Amino acid sequence: MTESIEVLRRRLRFGTLPEALLQPGRDVVLRAGDRSITRDELRERAGEVAGGLHDLGLSPGDRVALFAANSLDWVTAYLGAQRAGACVVLMNPDYHSAEAEHILRDSEPALVIADKARAAVVEPLGARVVLLQDLPRAAEPAMPALTPESPAAILYTSGTTGRPKGALLDHGNFLAQGRGAIEVWRWTSSDVLVHALPLFHLHGLGMGLHGTLLSGASAILVPFTPAGVVTELKSGGTMFFGVPSMYQRLCDWLDENPTDLSHVRVFVCGSAPLPPALFERCERLLGQPPVERYGITEGGIVVTNPYQGPRQPGRVGYPFPGVEVKLGELDEVLLKGGQVFTGYWRNPQATNEAFTSDGFFRTGDVGEIGGDGTLAIRGRIKELIITGGFNVYPREVELVLESHPAVQEVAVAGVPSEKWGEEVTAYVVPSGTEPLVESALIAFAHERLAAYKCPKRVITMDRLPRNAMGKVQRSVLASQRT
Ligand code: AMP
């Protein structure tokens, strides 16, 4: 068994990104608004950008930071930098100066490719900036000597609990990721992905963009709005990838504007927990439940509900082909496979701590593996609340509170307390369908959970603070505890 997994892993890692992603073809591969690009054009432009970067003095292995909103030019710059053999540092376009400064100091890029708005953020930091819209082009340089082990990109972790760390992914990691996604969701060249995810994140890049290019399919880049996504799905989209907060907004919109989307082949959801009530709402309004999948920047997107067969609300499903998943101490989810990164950029100590002695990546998530082999995520170890000496995982409490009709969304966190050490606190966005009464919600929890797990306080909010990937920012919550 172990041997066949090793063989599969090697097969999935074979090749490098420029060879695999820049395939010839006269068909349109990407569209954004009224601009579109064919495979041949993409290949040619990426080659010219590689030539331009080469003329600017860039050598294979140098870092190039990419700091811009999603666009076709973003894709050309990314693939051009890959083609030049650079390691691309992906930057969230929402970063403010201090966040950008941390990334630039840490990754030391030879240059930053930025759109106009982001150039204004990084120029005062002394970075060497090339404007995205003015990227120089020149004759395609000789193909650099790359291997599956060559660094491809540095993706910074979300940093919802600490300073972002640079996860270094190599070409083999991305190819294993893209090929795995094609296999599990049966991606074919006739698919059209409606792509509304940020390209700087693994979800939008490693699955969305790479999967499209590798499978011979096409994609439409759209800024996320429910109406915009539905329009593109109705005019030929066959796949949609989103985070739960996007599905929430899509459902709200579809409630008001019922639309037949039964022709869509698959909706995939991940990056944060998909509440069972939202799963059911999607099933009703989209005509099918999303396929929930689980992943992490460093380890890849590696577990999914089945494409065919029952999709279970509250569970993230089975490992991708070639991926091993097991539980370690404190039921921590441990991963091994071709997608798993080799380490943090210039941070051997963090890298060392991230792996077990037998080479599994420690995700920091608490899991539970059912009798049918499916995984469920119970929360992050660091989010564990210790109250009166007992351990409480917020997700378990959230799942109960989410099932109350007065609750639309909820996040549970520990608030320091002299009496309890930490006090279980629920931050709730009311559904508006019935009044939210603090004592009634706490009593509801007591009927379903051991007393120590029940919230001591309920704080009402208009919305939960989330980052670009829909993850609740607990540090922000903790500052709103009154
Ligand atoms: P990131 O590295 O930004 O992709 O964040 C990874 C983290 O997101 C994981 O460690 C999980 O805590 C969380 N996550 C991703 N997918 C899911 C999911 N389907 N259910 C619950 N948590 C998820």
Side-chain angles (χ1 to χ4, degrees), residues 78-404:
Y78 170 76
L79 294 169
Q82 293 283 0
R83 175 63 185 74
C87 171
V88 185
V89 178
L90 296 159
M91 292 179 69
N92 181 338
D94 288 339
Y95 280 149
H96 291 281
S97 174
E99 295 157 307
E101 189 175 17
H102 166 66
I103 307 291
L104 298 183
R105 277 233 183 103
D106 191 56
S107 62
E108 294 186 323
L111 51 93
V112 183
I113 302 174
D115 56 20
K116 272 199 184 130
R118 279 78 191 184
V121 177
V122 284
E123 263 160 1
L125 303 174
R128 183 180 178 202
V129 180
V130 183
L131 275 184
L132 181 64
Q133 46 272 64
D134 299 339
L135 264 187
R137 296 202 184 156
E140 189 167 348
M143 186 72 191
L146 298 172
T147 70
E149 283 71 40
S150 302
I154 300 177
L155 282 78
Y156 278 82
T157 55
S158 323
T160 45
T161 49
R163 266 210 133 168
K165 291 195 288 274
L168 179 63
L169 274 79
D170 66 23
H171 289 254
N173 292 145
F174 277 120
L175 289 179
Q177 179 70 78
R179 289 178 180 142
I182 291 170
E183 200 165 331
V184 294
W185 299 312
R186 317 269 171 95
W187 217 324
T188 73
S189 56
S190 38
D191 275 312
V192 180
L193 173 69
V194 178
H195 191 313
L197 286 165
L199 283 164
F200 68 83
H201 188 271
L202 186 66
H203 196 166
L205 181 78
M207 271 174 46
L209 180 67
H210 293 175
T212 298
L213 298 177
L214 279 171
S215 62
S218 62
I220 300 157
L221 300 182
V222 282
F224 179 78
T225 62
V229 166
V230 169
T231 303
E232 295 299 351
L233 287 173
K234 281 193 62 164
S235 56
T238 65
M239 302 172 87
F240 177 73
F241 296 166
V243 301
S245 50
M246 288 179 171
Y247 283 99
Q248 182 81 45
R249 288 179 57 197
L250 255 181
C251 285
D252 290 347
W253 191 89
L254 288 167
D255 249 340
E256 302 285 311
N257 309 273
T259 310
D260 180 7
L261 294 174
S262 54
H263 69 282
V264 177
R265 197 173 63 72
V266 66
F267 291 92
V268 178
C269 180
S271 293
L274 175 67
L278 181 56
F279 175 100
E280 276 151 32
R281 231 179 138 208
C282 287
E283 187 165 22
R284 186 162 48 80
L285 293 162
L286 302 173
Q288 59 181 299
V291 177
E292 185 174 8
R293 97 304 174 276
Y294 159 81
I296 178 165
T297 303
E298 298 91 320
I301 291 162
V302 284
V303 177
T304 180
N305 269 276
Y307 177 73
Q308 260 171 345
R311 299 171 188 174
Q312 300 182 58
R315 307 195 71 80
V316 292
Y318 300 96
F320 274 39
V323 172
E324 289 168 72
V325 176
K326 64 178 187 180
L327 302 182
E329 268 176 51
L330 291 172
D331 289 335
E332 182 173 16
V333 178
L334 306 177
L335 305 175
K336 206 183 236 191
Q339 288 93 329
V340 177
F341 81 150
T342 39
Y344 292 105
W345 170 251
R346 289 186 180 161
N347 195 341
Q349 193 192 334
T351 304
N352 210 18
E353 289 166 5
F355 286 92
T356 61
S357 54
D358 56 348
F360 278 78
F361 172 65
R362 305 176 50 174
T363 62
D365 289 312
V366 181
E368 176 259 310
I369 297 180
D372 60 356
T374 59
L375 178 72
I377 302 297
R378 296 288 176 237
R380 308 258 325 141
I381 289 178
K382 281 195 182 146
E383 289 166 5
L384 178 74
I385 304 168
I386 304 179
T387 182
F390 289 107
N391 292 355
V392 179
Y393 284 105
R395 189 70 202 131
E396 186 184 357
V397 185
E398 287 167 4
L399 277 167
V400 167
L401 300 180
E402 273 166 8
S403 68
H404 190 284

